[in-house]
Amino acid sequence: QKEVEQNSGPLSVPEGAIASLNCTYSDRGSQSFFWYRQYSGKSPELIMFIYSNGDKEDGRFTAQLNKASQYVSLLIRDSQPSDSATYLCAVRGYNQGGKLIFGQGTELSVKP
Amino acid sequence: DTAVSQTPKYLVTQMGNDKSIKCEQNLGHDTMYWYKQDSKKFLKIMFSYNNKELIINETVPNRFSPKSPDKAHLNLHINSLELGDSAVYFCASSQETAGLARTGELFFGEGSRLTVL
């Protein structure tokens, strides 16, 4: 079992729709959860992080965490073509020296 | 000013050669990392240094040797390159608070694309 799993996609949504990206993780001791966006040929950039169960909203982005189900998701409302990228879920355990374990990423395509 | 800079951006070399990638960060962070991203976009940690001390050393062949002369620099030397070493290597940095794993966004460099022929 992979430590962090995501559907690789591609996930295709029309412009203006809600894109839903999902991630599961295997280590119950995981403490911090991150969503990174990576455009083709570029480096990953952080868009959201979440530590506590529940929802966290930032503009068009909402991260959802359910530690009991070991599940974290990212919702993108009013999707734009500029949101087309690969979204990487990353998880960090406690006292692991800062190590982030990444999922394989979900490719999102937003069609105009 | 670039926060995390890597050189070179592109490396094309023959099997068996030795190559180095350099990384520098001007964010004042105390922790630096090397990640490898393969052709399927899977990003995997290789090494991490905190204030010049090696703290993470994943299962990486001995041909890979990191070196941190100071907390702002982290270099990666690769001996006897193999075809499977072809990937994008990302340097990253973060500010870690001792004992706490909750903080610490990773700031990535632009990546160094290594192609081994």
Side-chain angles (χ1 to χ4, degrees), chain B residues 16-28:
Chain B
N17 284 350
D18 303 339
K19 288 294 177 187
S20 292
I21 307 170
K22 295 187 175 183
C23 179
E24 176 182 1
Q25 56 96 2
N26 62 8
L27 297 167

Side-chain angles (χ1 to χ4, degrees), chain B residues 25-90:
Chain B
Q25 56 96 2
N26 62 8
L27 297 167
H29 289 166
D30 59 9
T31 305
M32 296 185 72
Y33 309 80
W34 280 112
Y35 277 83
K36 178 182 180 181
Q37 188 169 48
D38 61 24
S39 56
K40 295 183 180 177
K41 293 276 186 121
F42 185 53
L43 199 58
K44 186 170 169 55
I45 191 166
M46 302 172 69
F47 303 102
S48 172
Y49 274 76
N50 180 276
N51 280 319
K52 302 192 298 176
E53 181 185 346
L54 180 66
I55 55 171
I56 295 174
N57 185 349
E58 293 293 291
T59 307
V60 176
N62 290 340
R63 300 181 294 104
F64 290 79
S65 50
K67 188 170 284 189
S68 181
D70 56 61
K71 75 172 195 176
H73 295 84
L74 179 62
N75 303 323
L76 182 66
H77 187 75
I78 315 170
N79 289 324
S80 304
L81 279 157
E82 300 177 358
L83 292 176
D85 297 333
S86 296
V88 180
Y89 292 85
F90 283 103

Side-chain angles (χ1 to χ4, degrees), chain A residues 32 34 36 38 40 42-44 46 51 86 88 92-100 102-104, chain B residues 33 35 37 40-43 45 48 55-56 58 90 96 99 101-106 108-110:
Chain A
S32 314
F34 303 80
Y36 282 79
Q38 186 176 24
S40 181
K42 301 294 185 183
S43 56
L46 181 71
Y51 304 142
T86 297
L88 302 166
R92 174 181 292 174
Y94 185 72
N95 273 344
Q96 287 199 23
K99 179 169 76 172
L100 277 191
F102 285 83
Q104 70 269 41
Chain B
Y33 309 80
Y35 277 83
Q37 188 169 48
K40 295 183 180 177
K41 293 276 186 121
F42 185 53
L43 199 58
I45 191 166
S48 172
I55 55 171
I56 295 174
E58 293 293 291
F90 283 103
E96 301 296 325
R102 291 164 66 88
T103 59
E105 170 187 355
L106 287 186
F108 285 88
E110 292 184 328

